[in-house]
């Protein structure tokens, strides 16, 4: 085979890496920017919302940057309406977060829901671990204005999407950088590997 063909094969890794990168970004986008089903200020204590398709949903908190949020002072309970049957709601493991110039969002809880109506209730308790509560005490921020502190219910994806995205990012970096390097260094690589080629 000619050197040109080998170079072309190596450089083909670059668009493959770009394609993998786009897929990984789309996977994460569904986790961070799912459609908002409901949003209420913390002062209302209850959020009523409707789920139109079964799937994974997440509860996010949204507030001003550099403000002490009250997540260590409340817990969430989820009920099906009108039956009042409790729905399991779990703490978010990876705690994805997003921020802009003056606001920030962080995922607090996740749950699976069938189509129907639901009631999310704010009750006494804590939404964070003991370790996180200690951090709140060690690094207190300015008190939050509860009227400017919101809870959101958003469409989401399984946490496995985030786990799967990590090796995809590593693979796309290998393809893009490796494709460029191997393409330019093809003669030396082929020689070291003992692969015969035509100049």
């Amino acid at each position: 085979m000619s050197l040109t063909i080998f170079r072309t094969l190596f450089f083909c890794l670059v668009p493959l890496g770009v394609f993998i990168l786009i897929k990984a970004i789309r996977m994460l986008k569904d986790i961070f920017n799912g459609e908002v089903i409901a949003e209420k200020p913390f002062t209302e204590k209850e959020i009523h919302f409707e789920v139109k398709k079964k799937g994974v949903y997440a509860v996010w908190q949204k507030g001003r940057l550099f403000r002490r949020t009250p997540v260590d002072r409340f817990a969430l309970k989820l009920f099906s309406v009108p039956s009042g049957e409790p729905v399991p709601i779990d703490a978010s493991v990876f705690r994805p977060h997003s921020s802009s110039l003056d606001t920030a969002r962080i995922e607090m809880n996740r749950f699976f829901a069938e189509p129907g109506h639901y009631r999310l209730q704010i009750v006494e308790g804590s939404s964070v671990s003991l370790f996180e509560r200690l951090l709140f005490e060690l690094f207190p921020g300015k008190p939050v204005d509860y009227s400017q502190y919101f809870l959101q219910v958003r469409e989401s994806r399984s946490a496995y999407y985030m786990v799967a995205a990590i090796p995809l990012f590593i693979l796309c970096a290998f393809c893009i950088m490796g494709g460029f390097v191997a393409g330019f260094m093809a003669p030396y690589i082929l020689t070291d590997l003992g692969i015969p080629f035509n100049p």
Side-chain angles (χ1 to χ4, degrees):
M1 294 178 66
S2 69
L3 179 60
T4 302
I5 294 177
F6 278 112
R7 284 186 186 275
T8 302
L9 291 175
F10 287 139
F11 281 128
C12 282
L13 290 174
V14 177
L16 176 61
V18 173
F19 173 77
I20 295 173
L21 177 62
I22 293 172
K23 296 293 287 185
I25 291 174
R26 286 179 176 174
M27 289 174 63
L28 290 181
K29 182 180 178 182
D30 291 337
I31 295 176
F32 285 87
N33 296 313
E35 180 183 351
V36 177
I37 305 300
E39 179 177 319
K40 294 286 185 180
F42 180 73
T43 53
E44 295 200 12
K45 302 302 181 183
E46 284 191 354
I47 301 177
H48 292 262
F49 61 94
E50 180 183 4
V51 169
K52 295 184 178 180
K53 56 183 179 182
K54 69 176 182 180
V56 178
Y57 293 82
V59 180
W60 290 69
Q61 63 162 338
K62 185 181 77 170
R64 295 282 302 278
L65 282 173
F66 311 117
R67 294 292 188 274
R68 191 187 191 286
T69 61
V71 292
D72 58 331
R73 301 176 183 177
F74 74 89
L76 297 175
K77 289 188 176 182
L78 183 63
F79 302 93
S80 178
V81 177
S83 68
E85 182 179 349
V87 177
I89 181 168
D90 302 313
S92 177
V93 177
F94 296 102
R95 293 283 171 85
H97 63 275
S98 175
S99 61
S100 60
L101 293 176
D102 60 347
T103 62
R105 290 190 292 113
I106 184 170
E107 183 184 288
M108 299 303 300
N109 300 86
R110 301 172 67 84
F111 60 93
F112 179 85
E114 296 283 348
H117 290 82
Y118 295 86
R119 175 170 57 91
L120 183 68
Q121 186 176 14
I122 299 172
V123 298
E124 291 186 3
S126 177
S127 297
V128 297
S129 65
L130 176 61
F131 175 74
E132 289 173 307
R133 288 201 298 273
L134 290 175
L135 286 179
F136 276 112
E137 297 299 328
L138 290 174
F139 303 101
K142 294 182 179 180
V144 66
D145 179 357
Y146 287 169
S147 65
Q148 299 299 315
Y149 175 70
F150 299 86
L151 294 182
Q152 295 179 332
V153 180
R154 286 176 170 264
E155 289 184 347
S156 189
R157 293 277 189 171
S158 169
Y160 294 115
Y161 276 70
M162 183 171 292
V163 176
I166 295 173
L168 286 179
F169 278 116
I170 296 174
L171 179 60
C172 80
F174 172 79
C175 288
I176 294 173
M177 293 187 291
F180 273 120
V181 173
F184 288 115
M185 303 292 292
Y188 305 100
I189 294 174
L190 295 175
T191 300
D192 289 341
L193 294 176
I195 300 174
F197 64 92
N198 299 319

